Amino acid sequence: MARYIRHAACFCALLLVALLVNATRVQVFEAAAHDENPANRREVIARYGLRRGDILVDGRPVTGSRDTGEQLRYERTYANGPLFAPVTGFASQEYGTTLLEHTEDGVLSGSDPLLTPFALWNDFTRRRNPGGDVVTTIDGAAQQAAFRGLAGRKGAVAAVEPTTGRILALVSSPSYDPEVLSGNDPGVGRSWARLNADREKPMLNRAVRQTYPPGSTFKVVTAAAALDAGVVTDLDAPTDSPAPYRLPGTRTSLTNESDGCEDLSLREAFRWSCNTVFAKLGVDVGVGDMTATAHAFGFNDDALRIPFSVARSTFDPTVDKAQLALSSIGQYNTRATPLQMAMVSAAVANGGQLRTPYLVERTTTSRGTTVATAGPRPGRQVMYPSTAAQLRELMTQVVTEGTGTNAAIPGATVGGKTGTAQHGIGNAGTPYAWFVSWAQGDRDVEPKVAVAVVVEDAAADRGEITGGGVAAPIARAVMEAVLRSKE
């Protein structure tokens, strides 16, 4: 009898060993595969079982979490969602995440191993940390000023701090409330369908994901190329530019919105935004140097992240001379995001050095302990400091006595450039109104803010003054908000 008992005991021991081996195989070696199986809802339940960390502006959260008491317990909430949607994006139980909610999801959801000093232990116990917080660079007052200035019109505003690259405002209009996409009830699906069917595209982040012909604001880049290449050595010397200007190799003549542009100096041509002068300058500089200068400013760069991706701004390096002439005044294939044009203005303000823009200042644990910081951002010299000084002079004159007087701020030095970008078949579309600028308070040792504004539905005169009349007041409000906050 004892032998049968021993055999049964051995058999039971073998079964126990087999059970342990199988459990080890499933829970250790195949854990990742089971985690990624769409049928496994444990990860989803655990993800929404804890409050999500917050995104902060001016040290205050602009996001939150609501306890629903359901299986997927916490839903995302947004304070003033339409204002900050181009920064936060959305976090949806049905449709995933976008923008900062996506790129910083590891911190916000608590899954980032940097949130705990015992990451391996958490992996073993399957424990999830409380969500951490993301501190942004956004200036709340500047964001509000840009949002109010656009007032629901299609367009965008981007503002950066020239010396650091910190993004101070990022606004897209029309906007939407990300909270309507947070949960998983039938209303979320209806909201998703409605937002995607909206012809105004409220979920499109126009500040970083939409490119436009920059129009005459691109003349800042063309002037920089001409000065750096030595094509222009004296701001006040005649440029030998006919008006109208026949595009090389064609019978097409380029004209100006105003008279008096023939042979005008670079100073006066910049002040009154003469197309003929800058088209000829682009041809004289040549496609190689024009492309190199545009690339230095950030055009044709696929790699820019802030930390979410930014659409590629373009300057076509394969153009002929006629196309180069048009490209040099911000038309033809030249396209730019508002953030890109803010970078152009920032480089001028910062002595020719461009700092890489960024949106996240630091990330922290739920208790406020810093996990990671932005650190010093890489910069590059995009033009000679002397060229930047001359461009600052030219941009200042645009505001003091040119087409950008609506951007003037008492007690501050402001530089700017207006632009009206034509588009559509036969340029029949309502022109886009542009304004790029920078501002320095009289007590400041360096410029504090660079701004780019584009308004798509600027129903106004087609002349260059459109950018000054429609977009410049928005830029002024943003710059004033930043200067006041810096004080």
Side-chain angles (χ1 to χ4, degrees):
M1 180 67 69
R3 186 179 57 170
Y4 295 122
I5 293 175
R6 284 197 303 272
H7 288 172
C10 290
F11 182 69
C12 289
L14 288 174
L15 289 178
L16 180 60
V17 170
L19 181 63
L20 291 174
V21 169
N22 187 61
T24 301
R25 177 182 64 83
V26 171
Q27 296 186 23
V28 177
F29 296 103
E30 296 183 1
H34 289 298
D35 282 343
E36 295 170 2
N37 190 318
N40 180 11
R41 289 181 55 82
R42 291 172 61 88
E43 174 63 24
V44 176
I45 293 170
R47 175 184 178 88
Y48 294 107
L50 294 175
R51 291 182 181 273
R52 190 170 174 84
D54 286 319
I55 297 172
L56 277 59
V57 172
D58 293 336
R60 294 185 295 272
V62 297
T63 59
S65 295
R66 177 175 55 245
D67 189 348
T68 65
E70 299 176 356
Q71 188 178 55
L72 302 184
R73 183 171 176 181
Y74 288 101
E75 292 181 0
R76 196 56 149 167
T77 62
Y78 295 88
N80 208 339
L83 173 63
F84 294 108
V87 176
T88 63
F90 61 75
S92 171
Q93 294 178 359
E94 290 287 325
Y95 302 107
T97 55
T98 58
L99 303 183
L100 279 188
E101 293 276 28
H102 179 70
T103 58
E104 301 299 326
D105 182 68
V107 171
L108 295 168
S109 67
S111 63
D112 192 322
L114 293 177
L115 293 173
T116 176
F118 306 109
L120 292 178
W121 176 251
N122 278 12
D123 287 344
F124 180 76
T125 62
R126 317 293 286 177
R127 177 180 175 272
R128 183 181 289 270
N129 295 305
D133 294 337
V134 175
V135 181
T136 72
T137 60
I138 293 293
D139 182 311
Q143 188 84 356
Q144 286 274 9
F147 192 76
R148 286 195 303 265
L150 286 171
R153 291 174 295 180
K154 281 192 293 186
V157 179
V160 300
E161 188 173 65
T163 55
T164 64
R166 297 172 69 246
I167 296 176
L168 303 177
L170 206 64
V171 170
S172 178
S173 178
S175 190
Y176 72 105
D177 186 356
E179 191 166 330
V180 301
L181 301 176
S182 294
N184 55 18
D185 59 79
V188 170
R190 290 192 294 270
S191 296
W192 176 260
R194 173 179 54 80
L195 289 169
N196 280 282
D198 193 330
R199 295 177 60 185
E200 301 299 311
K201 298 182 179 180
M203 290 198 294
L204 172 63
N205 190 339
R206 290 174 164 85
V208 296
R209 297 281 173 83
Q210 178 68 40
T211 60
Y212 303 88
S216 292
T217 59
F218 190 79
K219 291 171 184 174
V220 176
V221 178
T222 303
L227 290 166
D228 267 4
V231 172
V232 174
T233 56
D234 183 349
L235 296 181
D236 297 300
T239 54
D240 190 26
S241 303
Y245 172 62
R246 178 175 289 183
L247 299 179
T250 75
R251 296 181 180 180
T252 302
S253 292
L254 183 66
T255 59
N256 301 291
E257 295 291 340
S258 58
D259 297 328
C261 286
E262 185 174 359
D263 294 335
L264 218 53
S265 67
L266 180 60
R267 182 188 305 278
E268 292 302 307
F270 193 90
R271 175 184 171 190
W272 299 112
S273 204
C274 293
N275 288 334
T276 52
V277 173
F278 282 91
K280 183 176 182 297
L281 279 178
V283 174
D284 292 344
V285 170
V287 68
D289 284 344
M290 279 296 301
T291 301
T293 300
H295 181 74
F297 275 105
F299 287 80
N300 300 333
D301 181 7
D302 293 313
L304 181 60
R305 303 289 186 273
I306 63 169
F308 47 81
S309 63
V310 177
R312 180 174 181 261
S313 298
T314 58
F315 183 86
D316 192 342
T318 64
V319 292
D320 60 27
K321 288 186 176 181
Q323 295 162 344
L324 176 60
L326 295 175
S327 298
S328 300
I329 59 172
Q331 298 288 165
Y332 191 59
N333 286 341
T334 305
R335 307 278 299 189
T337 63
L339 179 61
Q340 173 62 69
M341 295 313 298
M343 292 165 60
V344 169
S345 188
V348 173
N350 196 36
Q353 188 175 74
L354 177 62
R355 292 287 182 181
T356 304
Y358 66 100
L359 188 56
V360 175
E361 196 72 76
R362 66 182 183 277
T363 54
T364 72
T365 66
S366 60
R367 296 176 178 271
T369 303
T370 297
V371 173
T373 60
R377 305 298 292 180
R380 61 179 181 271
Q381 198 72 29
V382 303
M383 65 187 117
Y384 294 129
S386 58
T387 295
Q390 289 174 299
L391 284 175
R392 285 180 61 170
E393 183 180 338
L394 295 179
M395 293 181 75
T396 301
Q397 287 182 324
V398 168
V399 174
T400 57
E401 53 191 81
T403 58
T405 54
N406 283 333
I409 300 173
T413 301
V414 179
K417 181 69 187 78
T418 57
T420 303
Q422 297 177 346
H423 69 102
I425 299 175
N427 292 329
T430 302
Y432 299 141
W434 277 93
F435 193 74
V436 299
S437 58
W438 51 264
Q440 177 177 348
D442 287 348
R443 297 182 181 180
D444 297 327
V445 297
E446 56 197 9
K448 295 299 182 182
V449 58
V451 182
V453 178
V454 63
V455 181
E456 292 186 33
D457 47 0
D461 176 29
R462 290 176 67 92
E464 292 295 335
I465 200 69
T466 300
V470 176
I474 302 173
R476 180 187 65 223
V478 175
M479 292 187 291
E480 284 179 322
V482 173
L483 294 178
R484 283 197 301 268
S485 67
K486 298 299 182 184
E487 291 175 358

